[in-house]
Amino acid sequence: MTIALRYAAKTDVGLVRSNNQDSGYAGSHLLVVADGMGGHAGGDVASSVAVGTLAELETDAPGTDIVAALEGAVLDANDAILRRAREEPQLAGLGTTVTALLRAGNKFALVHIGDSRAYLVRNGQCTQVTKDHTFVQRLIDEGRLTPEEAERHPQRSMIMRVLGDVDADPELDLSLKPAVPGDRWMLCSDGLSGLVSFETISDVLATVEDPEACAEHLVELALKAGGPDNITCVIADVIDLDTLRKGDPGPSSGSVVVGAAARDRHRPTAATGPAARAAALTREEAPYEDEDYEEEPPRRSTWPVIALFALIGALLVGGGWFAYDWTQDQYYVGSNGENVVVYKGIAQDLGPLSLSHEEQVTDVALNDLQPVTQTQVTNTISAKNREDADRIVAQLAAEESLSKDTSTDASDQGGASDSSGTPSDGGR
């Protein structure tokens, strides 16, 4: 039996984001999806570094112990992201999810960290192979939340584990899977799985035969559902070359790189229709940064510019107070360096004027939260209103309590004694 892959990779910036922080890779031996985080300046860097580091496995794939090889490559990617953060302080806090499959012969090594996902379709049945490393998933595992409640939870995107400058010692999920002819694998970012139901994903994966058409259809479904996040999808079919008949599609060749790693992170969405056109009117445009590209700006008359500034000045005088008044009806959750704080206003300054103030300093200690959550709070979490801010604080308090319980359990176990009354190694 000679195993090969037929694969495709698709991405879209979505209807709201101005740049693509996802990266995807599909090759004969390697499949990767990475969803970057860390704001406009850092997410695309983190996912690009991760995919770029892992892509070396495509040309240097090990014949044995592919799990160890994949784990080593992911840890190397983590080190590379940390170096970027140290070299460029503006990238502090950047990170990325990583879900990847490495094939050698008829085996797959699977690595997973974060909330991107891997799905497997075998004999017409679809299963989610990976488990999200999110706060709500932990609550589900402990019986505090049902899967249905998790889908509507305001903090369902709060990630507990990622790669990068938020966790010095990333905890990876690693496993070895068989590469069975007829299987279909899909890796995707939460821009797809968070909007398209499991039932719909299963149906599309099982019925659309061509991997490229299947990936395109799934991305389109996420866009039709609103597409607030970047959407990335990698699909691969496992085929047995020895059983291929004349006319059957053969394996794919070469590699497909999409998203930030392909330097198309500022490419506009491919979505069409009223929702896409409406989103395009409000999307914040990001400057295209390409050091190899230079273009002299066209010369324009200065009169339109003068008129524009005059109009802006008039609007500021007439509407400035109303705009400021609007900001004071907004809320967000941040920190004062020690505790979680509910702020009223927006997290911006207008010259010497601060547009927010502390509304409530909570009892939730920043250092008692998970490293990923600390970064999210430090970068601020927006709230729809005061009630929403209180809900966010309640979830952070629950995470703090859970972390303390976990630490206490670990301490109790560490202080246990053996049957002879001698303290165990953990109590030394």
Side-chain angles (χ1 to χ4, degrees):
M1 183 168 60
T2 306
I3 295 297
L5 300 179
R6 185 185 303 124
Y7 47 82
K10 296 293 177 181
T11 193
D12 195 285
V13 71
L15 301 179
V16 175
R17 300 292 180 87
S18 59
N19 73 329
N20 198 340
Q21 299 187 41
D22 286 0
S23 291
Y25 180 95
S28 300
H29 298 90
L30 180 70
L31 310 169
V32 187
V33 164
D35 182 353
M37 57 170 284
H40 192 84
D44 52 0
V45 173
S47 68
S48 296
V49 170
V51 166
T53 304
L54 290 173
E56 297 177 7
L57 292 171
E58 182 69 59
T59 55
D60 192 22
T64 58
D65 205 354
I66 54 175
V67 174
L70 187 56
E71 178 185 23
V74 173
L75 294 178
D76 287 345
N78 186 65
D79 292 341
I81 293 171
L82 292 176
R83 284 196 300 272
R84 286 294 297 270
R86 287 194 297 267
E87 294 167 358
E88 303 176 50
Q90 70 273 21
L91 297 180
L94 82 167
T96 184
T97 71
V98 172
T99 302
L101 284 165
L102 176 64
R103 183 185 68 84
N106 61 350
K107 298 289 185 181
F108 277 117
L110 172 65
V111 66
H112 170 66
I113 184 169
D115 64 349
S116 297
R117 292 180 178 178
Y119 294 86
L120 170 64
V121 179
R122 176 175 293 168
N123 298 325
Q125 297 296 315
C126 182
T127 57
Q128 180 183 328
V129 180
T130 55
K131 180 181 288 189
D132 297 344
H133 298 144
T134 58
F135 181 54
V136 294
Q137 182 61 52
R138 178 181 290 188
L139 296 180
I140 292 173
D141 294 342
E142 296 176 351
R144 302 187 188 184
L145 207 64
T146 67
E148 292 74 22
E149 291 171 335
E151 291 179 359
R152 301 183 298 272
H153 198 281
Q155 300 305 314
R156 59 186 177 275
S157 297
M158 186 177 290
I159 309 176
M160 307 298 289
R161 290 194 239 165
V162 294
L163 212 64
D165 190 33
V166 289
D167 193 347
D169 188 18
E171 185 180 350
L172 308 176
D173 289 348
L174 293 157
S175 58
L176 187 65
K177 307 289 184 181
V180 179
D183 281 0
R184 167 167 282 184
W185 286 87
M186 183 186 77
L187 313 181
C188 69
S189 63
D190 68 328
L192 172 60
S193 59
L195 291 179
V196 183
S197 70
F198 174 78
E199 291 74 18
T200 301
I201 288 175
S202 301
D203 181 64
V204 173
L205 288 175
T207 58
V208 182
E209 292 186 5
D210 179 65
E212 185 164 0
C214 187
E216 288 179 349
H217 187 42
L218 288 169
V219 170
E220 288 171 2
L221 289 174
L223 290 170
K224 289 179 180 178
D229 199 357
N230 307 143
I231 308 157
T232 301
C233 176
V234 173
I235 294 178
D237 293 340
V238 181
I239 60 177
D240 182 0
L241 296 180
D242 297 336
T243 61
L244 280 183
R245 295 172 298 180
K246 186 176 181 180
D248 288 344
S252 302
S253 60
S255 60
V256 182
V257 186
V258 297
R263 303 193 62 146
D264 65 352
R265 55 190 179 277
H266 301 298
R267 186 173 298 166
T269 176
T272 59
R277 288 193 293 271
L281 295 175
T282 58
R283 184 186 299 115
E284 177 187 356
E285 290 301 326
Y288 183 78
E289 299 173 0
D290 190 340
E291 64 274 15
D292 299 324
Y293 180 77
E294 295 182 1
E295 179 178 308
E296 182 180 354
R299 300 189 180 189
R300 299 176 180 175
S301 169
T302 59
W303 283 109
V305 177
I306 295 173
L308 176 62
F309 275 103
L311 177 60
I312 292 174
L315 290 173
L316 287 176
V317 171
W321 171 253
F322 295 102
Y324 175 77
D325 190 53
W326 173 84
T327 68
Q328 300 311 293
D329 288 333
Q330 309 304 306
Y331 290 88
Y332 67 92
V333 177
S335 79
N336 58 8
E338 296 182 358
N339 290 78
V340 174
V341 178
V342 175
Y343 288 90
K344 187 173 185 180
I346 60 174
Q348 298 289 338
D349 293 331
L350 189 60
L353 177 65
S354 175
L355 298 182
S356 66
H357 63 272
E358 291 184 356
E359 183 79 357
Q360 178 190 0
V361 178
T362 74
D363 295 330
V364 181
L366 186 66
N367 289 337
D368 288 339
L369 301 174
Q370 294 288 332
V372 173
T373 309
Q374 291 182 33
T375 299
Q376 292 174 325
V377 172
T378 301
N379 291 336
T380 73
I381 303 172
S382 60
K384 298 176 182 177
N385 47 43
R386 178 56 197 266
E387 290 74 18
D388 190 32
D390 290 339
R391 282 195 296 269
I392 294 171
V393 170
Q395 295 304 324
L396 295 174
E399 179 184 333
E400 179 191 40
S401 176
L402 183 62
S403 298
K404 288 181 178 179
D405 291 345
T406 303
S407 299
T408 301
D409 292 342
S411 177
D412 291 344
Q413 293 173 5
S417 301
D418 59 23
S419 59
S420 64
T422 303
S424 64
D425 290 341
R428 294 178 185 172

